Amino acid sequence: MKFMYFFDDKIKRHIMKGKKYCNPAETGNYECGISCIRQGDVNLWFYTKNGVTIAVDSGHLNYRGVENSFQQIGINPEEIKHVFITHADVDHCGGIDTSGTNIYTQMHKCTWGKRKAHT
């Protein structure tokens, strides 16, 4: 796993420079309870309604400045209890990696068990 973090942090930006492979939104509050934090080439998205915030992805491991970004959009990450991870790349789930600083300290942990096929 350390290699993946090294690749993501040190190599990917040089390989992908100028390729325009993604177009992340800027950190801010958008319409209808939607907010986001930009972390380089990815976004953390949030939906807030009736005082409850759901996070989509957790971003990079130990991303510098994430605390300031949360303050900018007015969300306390310690109050987020539900996180939807879109996929297990280090730039989408690094923020919940136990080897680093977990940005969602109150997150409910759940795992997917084996499912029985219905016939």
Side-chain angles (χ1 to χ4, degrees), residues 14-88:
H14 300 291
I15 293 172
M16 303 311 273
K17 188 174 184 177
K19 302 269 194 262
K20 299 188 189 239
Y21 66 101
C22 63
N23 187 21
E26 294 302 322
T27 296
N29 293 310
Y30 295 85
E31 295 179 23
C32 301
I34 304 292
S35 304
C36 87
I37 292 176
R38 179 178 179 172
Q39 287 188 341
D41 60 340
V42 297
N43 285 119
L44 285 71
W45 289 97
F46 306 94
Y47 175 68
T48 303
K49 183 174 181 178
N50 299 327
V52 176
T53 299
I54 298 172
V56 178
D57 289 332
S58 67
H60 295 277
L61 177 74
N62 299 330
Y63 195 81
R64 294 172 292 281
V66 72
E67 298 86 4
N68 294 335
S69 297
F70 274 110
Q71 287 179 352
Q72 182 179 343
I73 63 171
I75 292 176
N76 181 352
E78 294 179 3
E79 294 177 358
I80 294 174
K81 296 180 181 169
H82 305 284
V83 182
F84 178 80
I85 301 295
T86 58
H87 59 286

